[in-house]
């Protein structure tokens, strides 16, 4: 099984960016932990981060026929990007939307997600654990489909 983890804008600053909101792990550490977990489960996990909407769209396109599922923390683009939504629907790969913070307990503009209604599921508010829970959910869904 092959998965793709996508992180959007400002997530490259994790560790120092508002640690009270997003925790003290760097993105590198999060990716490392997730890759270790994936390896234990015999899953190949590719990781990608960009601050640019177009680069995120391009990376989603590259996943066609390469990837079984996508984990995506699109950061602020979650709340604004029809282009990222369209890319995810165009490649027709199951995806899970995830967030470190609980986006529903913050500003009202974070309650809107352009990705949520077509996602397999959403995980929001568990910090680093959001990534692990999202991966567990996606893997268990994909395994069920393969069986
Ligand atoms: C975030 C939540 C978004 O609202 C915000 O713009 C981010 C991070 C999260 O992981 O909690 O950049 O996606």
């Amino acid at each position: 099984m092959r998965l793709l983890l996508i992180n959007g804008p400002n997530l490259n600053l994790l560790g120092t960016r508002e640690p009270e909101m997003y925790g003290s792990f760097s993105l590198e550490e999060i990716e490392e932990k997730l890759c270790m977990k994936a390896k234990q489960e015999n899953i190949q996990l590719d990781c990608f981060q960009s601050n640019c909407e177009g680069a995120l769209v391009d990376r989603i396109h590259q996943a066609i026929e390469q990837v079984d599922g996508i984990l995506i923390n699109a950061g602020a683009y979650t709340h604004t990007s029809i282009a990222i939504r369209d890319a995810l629907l165009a490649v027709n790969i199951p995806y899970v939307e995830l967030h470190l913070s609980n986006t529903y307990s913050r500003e009202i503009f974070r309650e809107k997600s352009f990705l949520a209604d077509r996602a397999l599921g959403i995980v929001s508010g568990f910090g680093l654990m959001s990534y692990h829970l999202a991966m567990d959910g996606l893997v268990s869904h994909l395994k069920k489909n393969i069986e």
Side-chain angles (χ1 to χ4, degrees):
M1 188 184 297
R2 197 164 161 188
L3 303 183
L4 172 63
L5 169 65
I6 296 181
N7 280 284
N10 301 308
L11 294 166
N12 55 311
L13 297 183
L14 286 178
T16 55
R17 174 194 179 197
E18 297 180 80
E20 63 296 340
M21 177 67 69
Y22 297 119
S24 53
F25 290 111
S26 68
L27 181 59
E28 216 171 58
E29 288 169 326
I30 292 175
E31 288 176 347
E32 220 170 82
K33 285 178 200 297
L34 225 66
C35 282
M36 268 171 56
K37 179 187 170 81
K39 207 172 171 193
Q40 281 161 10
E41 297 180 31
N42 213 14
I43 292 164
Q44 189 185 325
L45 179 69
D46 297 334
C47 299
F48 180 76
Q49 187 277 332
S50 178
N51 296 319
C52 304
E53 190 174 22
L56 295 165
V57 168
D58 284 342
R59 186 63 189 88
I60 292 167
H61 291 177
Q62 282 167 20
I64 297 176
E65 285 176 22
Q66 303 292 320
V67 159
D68 301 301
I70 296 176
L71 301 162
I72 182 161
N73 182 352
Y77 286 142
T78 307
H79 319 297
T80 62
S81 180
I82 298 170
I84 291 175
R85 173 195 176 86
D86 284 351
L88 288 164
L89 299 189
V91 300
N92 199 24
I93 298 170
Y95 65 91
V96 175
E97 172 185 333
L98 74 100
H99 301 282
L100 292 146
S101 64
N102 177 355
T103 52
Y104 294 94
S105 70
R106 302 178 60 191
E107 300 94 331
I108 279 178
F109 61 79
R110 292 185 208 275
E111 289 181 11
K112 171 74 193 161
S113 166
F114 280 99
L115 314 183
D117 63 307
R118 300 297 291 272
L120 194 60
I122 306 156
V123 183
S124 186
F126 295 99
L128 165 67
M129 192 51 72
S130 288
Y131 284 82
H132 287 274
L133 294 170
M135 186 163 133
D136 287 346
L138 181 58
V139 168
S140 116
H141 168 86
L142 292 171
K143 277 189 180 158
K144 253 187 238 153
N145 274 10
I146 290 165
E147 277 161 15

